[in-house]
Amino acid sequence: MAESAKANQLKPYEYFTYLLKELIKYPRENVPEEELKKLMPWSEELPDSCRKNKTR
């Protein structure tokens, strides 16, 4: 998971923290598919706090 987060230009610690805060809202093994899609490391809907700062 950490490598997938890094490959998608995310900060692993912030991403995992966000995931846990979001997943706790749903019963175990019953997270709606649409919500899971929003939580994937490649999702454009992740908050900016999870993303690495873009540098040129």
Side-chain angles (χ1 to χ4, degrees):
M1 283 180 62
E3 293 303 316
S4 183
K6 290 177 192 176
N8 285 280
Q9 304 303 310
L10 300 176
K11 298 181 269 185
Y13 179 83
E14 287 80 356
Y15 175 59
F16 296 153
T17 301
Y18 175 73
L19 280 180
L20 293 174
K21 287 179 182 177
E22 292 301 308
L23 290 172
I24 201 166
K25 296 176 183 177
Y26 304 98
R28 181 189 287 187
E29 299 178 23
N30 196 20
V31 181
E33 186 175 339
E34 289 304 312
E35 292 303 314
L36 285 176
K37 288 179 182 179
K38 293 177 187 176
L39 298 173
M40 293 294 129
W42 49 83
S43 173
E44 296 293 326
E45 297 186 45
L46 293 173
D48 289 339
S49 61
C50 294
R51 301 185 188 287
K52 291 182 179 179
N53 293 335
K54 294 181 180 180
T55 58
R56 290 183 178 206

